[in-house]
PDB file of all heavy atoms in Angstrom:
ATOM      1  N   ASP E  89      21.445  41.690  40.933  1.00 95.00           N
ATOM      2  CA  ASP E  89      20.344  41.390  41.797  1.00 95.00           C
ATOM      3  C   ASP E  89      19.067  41.938  41.083  1.00 95.00           C
ATOM      4  O   ASP E  89      18.891  43.093  40.894  1.00 95.00           O
ATOM      5  CB  ASP E  89      20.506  42.176  43.131  1.00 95.00           C
ATOM      6  CG  ASP E  89      19.379  41.873  44.136  1.00 95.00           C
ATOM      7  OD1 ASP E  89      18.361  41.281  43.699  1.00 95.00           O
ATOM      8  OD2 ASP E  89      19.470  42.310  45.276  1.00 95.00           O
ATOM      9  N   PRO E  90      18.148  40.998  40.808  1.00 96.00           N
ATOM     10  CA  PRO E  90      16.927  41.416  40.038  1.00 96.00           C
ATOM     11  C   PRO E  90      16.159  42.537  40.831  1.00 96.00           C
ATOM     12  O   PRO E  90      15.423  43.289  40.146  1.00 96.00           O
ATOM     13  CB  PRO E  90      16.131  40.204  39.836  1.00 96.00           C
ATOM     14  CG  PRO E  90      16.701  39.223  40.841  1.00 96.00           C
ATOM     15  CD  PRO E  90      18.118  39.572  41.060  1.00 96.00           C
ATOM     16  N   LYS E  91      16.269  42.562  42.134  1.00 95.00           N
ATOM     17  CA  LYS E  91      15.511  43.552  42.955  1.00 95.00           C
ATOM     18  C   LYS E  91      15.970  44.922  42.610  1.00 95.00           C
ATOM     19  O   LYS E  91      15.170  45.904  42.924  1.00 95.00           O
ATOM     20  CB  LYS E  91      15.595  43.270  44.441  1.00 95.00           C
ATOM     21  CG  LYS E  91      14.959  41.951  44.851  1.00 95.00           C
ATOM     22  CD  LYS E  91      14.815  41.899  46.419  1.00 95.00           C
ATOM     23  CE  LYS E  91      14.479  40.553  46.853  1.00 95.00           C
ATOM     24  NZ  LYS E  91      15.664  39.619  46.824  1.00 95.00           N
ATOM     25  N   THR E  92      17.116  45.086  42.047  1.00 95.00           N
ATOM     26  CA  THR E  92      17.639  46.468  41.746  1.00 95.00           C
ATOM     27  C   THR E  92      17.140  46.980  40.342  1.00 95.00           C
ATOM     28  O   THR E  92      17.443  48.101  40.027  1.00 95.00           O
ATOM     29  CB  THR E  92      19.173  46.488  41.717  1.00 95.00           C
ATOM     30  OG1 THR E  92      19.655  45.634  40.666  1.00 95.00           O
ATOM     31  CG2 THR E  92      19.744  45.955  43.084  1.00 95.00           C
ATOM     32  N   LEU E  93      16.426  46.096  39.653  1.00 96.00           N
ATOM     33  CA  LEU E  93      16.032  46.415  38.264  1.00 96.00           C
ATOM     34  C   LEU E  93      14.533  46.744  38.244  1.00 96.00           C
ATOM     35  O   LEU E  93      13.696  46.123  38.905  1.00 96.00           O
ATOM     36  CB  LEU E  93      16.256  45.292  37.309  1.00 96.00           C
ATOM     37  CG  LEU E  93      17.675  44.739  37.218  1.00 96.00           C
ATOM     38  CD1 LEU E  93      17.696  43.694  36.058  1.00 96.00           C
ATOM     39  CD2 LEU E  93      18.692  45.869  36.887  1.00 96.00           C
ATOM     40  N   ASP E  94      14.115  47.748  37.408  1.00 96.00           N
ATOM     41  CA  ASP E  94      12.716  47.918  37.215  1.00 96.00           C
ATOM     42  C   ASP E  94      12.237  46.966  36.232  1.00 96.00           C
ATOM     43  O   ASP E  94      13.007  46.167  35.599  1.00 96.00           O
ATOM     44  CB  ASP E  94      12.398  49.355  36.762  1.00 96.00           C
ATOM     45  CG  ASP E  94      13.056  49.720  35.469  1.00 96.00           C
ATOM     46  OD1 ASP E  94      13.312  48.846  34.636  1.00 96.00           O
ATOM     47  OD2 ASP E  94      13.308  50.944  35.209  1.00 96.00           O
ATOM     48  N   HIS E  95      10.902  46.836  36.130  1.00 94.00           N
ATOM     49  CA  HIS E  95      10.237  45.789  35.366  1.00 94.00           C
ATOM     50  C   HIS E  95      10.717  45.785  33.936  1.00 94.00           C
ATOM     51  O   HIS E  95      11.029  44.732  33.314  1.00 94.00           O
ATOM     52  CB  HIS E  95       8.729  46.004  35.394  1.00 94.00           C
ATOM     53  CG  HIS E  95       7.945  44.833  34.805  1.00 94.00           C
ATOM     54  ND1 HIS E  95       7.867  43.580  35.436  1.00 94.00           N
ATOM     55  CD2 HIS E  95       7.264  44.718  33.644  1.00 94.00           C
ATOM     56  CE1 HIS E  95       7.115  42.833  34.672  1.00 94.00           C
ATOM     57  NE2 HIS E  95       6.764  43.498  33.593  1.00 94.00           N
ATOM     58  N   ALA E  96      10.777  47.010  33.269  1.00 95.00           N
ATOM     59  CA  ALA E  96      11.135  47.130  31.841  1.00 95.00           C
ATOM     60  C   ALA E  96      12.571  46.689  31.654  1.00 95.00           C
ATOM     61  O   ALA E  96      12.961  45.968  30.683  1.00 95.00           O
ATOM     62  CB  ALA E  96      10.955  48.546  31.415  1.00 95.00           C
ATOM     63  N   THR E  97      13.504  46.954  32.542  1.00 96.00           N
ATOM     64  CA  THR E  97      14.919  46.593  32.442  1.00 96.00           C
ATOM     65  C   THR E  97      15.096  45.131  32.610  1.00 96.00           C
ATOM     66  O   THR E  97      15.847  44.449  31.919  1.00 96.00           O
ATOM     67  CB  THR E  97      15.774  47.357  33.443  1.00 96.00           C
ATOM     68  OG1 THR E  97      15.514  48.794  33.361  1.00 96.00           O
ATOM     69  CG2 THR E  97      17.235  47.093  33.219  1.00 96.00           C
ATOM     70  N   LEU E  98      14.327  44.541  33.539  1.00 97.00           N
ATOM     71  CA  LEU E  98      14.371  43.052  33.721  1.00 97.00           C
ATOM     72  C   LEU E  98      13.911  42.315  32.563  1.00 97.00           C
ATOM     73  O   LEU E  98      14.542  41.362  32.101  1.00 97.00           O
ATOM     74  CB  LEU E  98      13.413  42.698  34.918  1.00 97.00           C
ATOM     75  CG  LEU E  98      13.431  41.247  35.332  1.00 97.00           C
ATOM     76  CD1 LEU E  98      14.684  40.897  36.131  1.00 97.00           C
ATOM     77  CD2 LEU E  98      12.208  40.877  36.119  1.00 97.00           C
ATOM     78  N   GLU E  99      12.929  42.845  31.836  1.00 97.00           N
ATOM     79  CA  GLU E  99      12.317  42.154  30.656  1.00 97.00           C
ATOM     80  C   GLU E  99      12.947  42.494  29.305  1.00 97.00           C
ATOM     81  O   GLU E  99      12.962  41.675  28.434  1.00 97.00           O
ATOM     82  CB  GLU E  99      10.790  42.378  30.631  1.00 97.00           C
ATOM     83  CG  GLU E  99      10.086  41.770  31.789  1.00 97.00           C
ATOM     84  CD  GLU E  99       8.638  41.464  31.500  1.00 97.00           C
ATOM     85  OE1 GLU E  99       8.128  41.974  30.538  1.00 97.00           O
ATOM     86  OE2 GLU E  99       8.029  40.635  32.180  1.00 97.00           O
ATOM     87  N   GLU E 100      13.496  43.722  29.203  1.00 96.00           N
ATOM     88  CA  GLU E 100      13.941  44.148  27.918  1.00 96.00           C
ATOM     89  C   GLU E 100      15.401  44.557  27.880  1.00 96.00           C
ATOM     90  O   GLU E 100      16.042  44.919  26.866  1.00 96.00           O
ATOM     91  CB  GLU E 100      13.099  45.325  27.399  1.00 96.00           C
ATOM     92  CG  GLU E 100      11.630  44.913  27.153  1.00 96.00           C
ATOM     93  CD  GLU E 100      11.362  43.927  25.997  1.00 96.00           C
ATOM     94  OE1 GLU E 100      12.222  43.775  25.136  1.00 96.00           O
ATOM     95  OE2 GLU E 100      10.348  43.276  26.059  1.00 96.00           O
ATOM     96  N   GLY E 101      16.053  44.646  29.039  1.00 96.00           N
ATOM     97  CA  GLY E 101      17.435  45.102  29.165  1.00 96.00           C
ATOM     98  C   GLY E 101      18.488  44.090  28.858  1.00 96.00           C
ATOM     99  O   GLY E 101      18.182  42.992  28.514  1.00 96.00           O
ATOM    100  N   THR E 102      19.697  44.533  28.995  1.00 97.00           N
ATOM    101  CA  THR E 102      20.848  43.678  28.783  1.00 97.00           C
ATOM    102  C   THR E 102      21.538  43.207  30.034  1.00 97.00           C
ATOM    103  O   THR E 102      22.594  42.568  29.972  1.00 97.00           O
ATOM    104  CB  THR E 102      21.932  44.442  27.920  1.00 97.00           C
ATOM    105  OG1 THR E 102      22.321  45.563  28.632  1.00 97.00           O
ATOM    106  CG2 THR E 102      21.381  44.799  26.564  1.00 97.00           C
ATOM    107  N   THR E 103      20.912  43.443  31.186  1.00 97.00           N
ATOM    108  CA  THR E 103      21.441  42.983  32.520  1.00 97.00           C
ATOM    109  C   THR E 103      20.954  41.623  32.831  1.00 97.00           C
ATOM    110  O   THR E 103      19.732  41.372  32.885  1.00 97.00           O
ATOM    111  CB  THR E 103      21.037  44.000  33.584  1.00 97.00           C
ATOM    112  OG1 THR E 103      21.427  45.311  33.259  1.00 97.00           O
ATOM    113  CG2 THR E 103      21.751  43.602  34.973  1.00 97.00           C
ATOM    114  N   PHE E 104      21.945  40.695  33.035  1.00 97.00           N
ATOM    115  CA  PHE E 104      21.529  39.362  33.386  1.00 97.00           C
ATOM    116  C   PHE E 104      21.347  39.359  34.916  1.00 97.00           C
ATOM    117  O   PHE E 104      22.318  39.522  35.698  1.00 97.00           O
ATOM    118  CB  PHE E 104      22.637  38.378  32.972  1.00 97.00           C
ATOM    119  CG  PHE E 104      22.309  36.927  33.249  1.00 97.00           C
ATOM    120  CD1 PHE E 104      21.028  36.416  33.095  1.00 97.00           C
ATOM    121  CD2 PHE E 104      23.348  36.003  33.632  1.00 97.00           C
ATOM    122  CE1 PHE E 104      20.723  35.081  33.294  1.00 97.00           C
ATOM    123  CE2 PHE E 104      23.012  34.704  33.861  1.00 97.00           C
ATOM    124  CZ  PHE E 104      21.709  34.182  33.676  1.00 97.00           C
ATOM    125  N   ALA E 105      20.167  39.141  35.369  1.00 97.00           N
ATOM    126  CA  ALA E 105      19.771  39.189  36.757  1.00 97.00           C
ATOM    127  C   ALA E 105      18.793  38.033  37.082  1.00 97.00           C
ATOM    128  O   ALA E 105      17.651  38.281  37.248  1.00 97.00           O
ATOM    129  CB  ALA E 105      19.022  40.561  37.057  1.00 97.00           C
ATOM    130  N   PRO E 106      19.401  36.808  37.162  1.00 98.00           N
ATOM    131  CA  PRO E 106      18.574  35.672  37.332  1.00 98.00           C
ATOM    132  C   PRO E 106      17.771  35.688  38.619  1.00 98.00           C
ATOM    133  O   PRO E 106      18.275  36.057  39.649  1.00 98.00           O
ATOM    134  CB  PRO E 106      19.581  34.480  37.363  1.00 98.00           C
ATOM    135  CG  PRO E 106      20.898  35.077  37.484  1.00 98.00           C
ATOM    136  CD  PRO E 106      20.822  36.500  37.016  1.00 98.00           C
TER     137      PRO E 106
END
Side-chain angles (χ1 to χ4, degrees):
Chain E
D89 179 353
K91 293 194 193 77
T92 65
L93 303 184
D94 62 27
H95 189 73
T97 307
L98 185 75
E99 294 205 338
E100 299 292 339
T102 59
T103 305
F104 184 37

